[in-house]
Amino acid sequence: MHAHDQRKAPGKETPKGALAVGRPAMERPGLGPGPLSAPAALALQRAVGNAAATRVVQESRHQHGVTAVVQRAPDPGAGGPKEEAKPTEWFNATTGKWQSGKPDLEKMRPAHGGERHLLGPKLEAEFADKHYSSVDDVPVFKARMYRRKEAPGRVSASRSPELRMLDRLGRLGMGQIRPGGTPHLATSVMPNGRLGIAGNTGRNHVTAGERNNVNRELAEVQDESVPAYGERRMDKDLYKVRAAKAGDYFEGNYNRPQLGAVVNAMGNPDWSHSRVGDDNGGQAGAQHGELTLLGPHIAQWKANPHTGEQPKIVNIGGVKCACAACQWALMAANEFIGKKYGYKVVVSGGHGMLFRNWIMPKWLAEIPDARKYVEGKIKARVPGAKFYTSSSGSLVLSLPKDYREADVNQDPAESESEWEPI
């Protein structure tokens, strides 16, 4: 702008009537009853420059007896504060490499807790270089091997995922039991972390050969190179077991360590408490498999009480629901033993039938209140029912000769959800 174009600011009138030319009165931002604030100082710098702003701040300091800090405005062309680099990569747990872009959610799924745990050392060493503030912030995905079918897809709400998985393992193993053999295979993750398996004792006990065949069958179920059965119900169980082994079944079931425990136990069956080949010395009667497996659990409860606010759950699954006597025995175990030590046993329901020659397990018979509870339930249901002591010391249920039970479906409810290989 040229000098003659500049407007003269109004000022005091001189004696000769001419206007005095001078700087107009400047309103000083932020200068008032208090000291000059930092935002006001910056605004002042932008308006009048660093030197003038310093003078105003000094006046403010003298007036109010405080020290004001002047922040120099950045020189023309100087850049502002640098932005921190943002993460742009995710970790592929299948390849073990970092990848850019977004994962294809049709082919990839989030890694579950156990898979992330195994990757812990690598992620800990590299998350900062990938600009993540925490190792927990790293997106980790793994290639899918199995997926849930669109329909039907309703999942049984009456059983936990780990209990349903134990039921499947029992059913798959049951295919190796001879016709007329044990009517039940019970399954549970034992205190030693292995997959406990037990059939009923008595005349229809599991043989050593059947035990070996069940072990081989469960190993092949987990072997991707072994073809499917070609039968819908069996393949339904097969694919869910394989999906769990691959980690895909955990999607939607995160933070379920008991499901992980079932998967870890699959490859390590334990028959040590199953009484394989036990025909009770030729005597009548049968101890049912779920009560056989519960014995070691109860021993562990007593040796290691659980002190949490909620009881620790012990799942026992298998081919069949619990009979009436087993249900009452399990209720007695929870009431008279579990409450004391902080545990609770859960099974896949009951079918309500009562069987003669049912053997009461010794861990129950040795607790008077628990024994009384079960005997009372049975005698209320069947007047004339009683227990006698066999030569081996077992308590065996005797029912009147004319007592008959109406036959009912003894199998746990079938989950409608299905899975398939990709």
Side-chain angles (χ1 to χ4, degrees), residues 182-184 186 198-205 273-275 278-280 283-296 323 326 356-365 394-396:
T182 181
H184 185 40
N200 293 359
T201 66
R203 297 191 181 109
N204 298 326
H205 57 269
H273 303 285
S274 69
R275 297 166 70 173
D278 188 352
D279 63 356
N280 304 325
Q283 300 178 57
Q287 180 170 298
H288 292 188
E290 57 267 56
L291 301 189
T292 300
L293 292 182
L294 184 53
C323 72
C326 283
R356 63 183 74 249
N357 297 323
W358 177 85
I359 293 179
M360 182 182 293
K362 290 182 178 180
W363 56 259
L364 177 63
S394 298
L395 290 176
V396 184

Side-chain angles (χ1 to χ4, degrees), residues 31-36 56-68:
L31 186 60
L36 193 65
V56 173
V57 171
Q58 288 174 342
E59 291 178 21
S60 174
R61 180 187 61 192
H62 292 306
Q63 290 175 11
H64 302 290
V66 297
T67 302

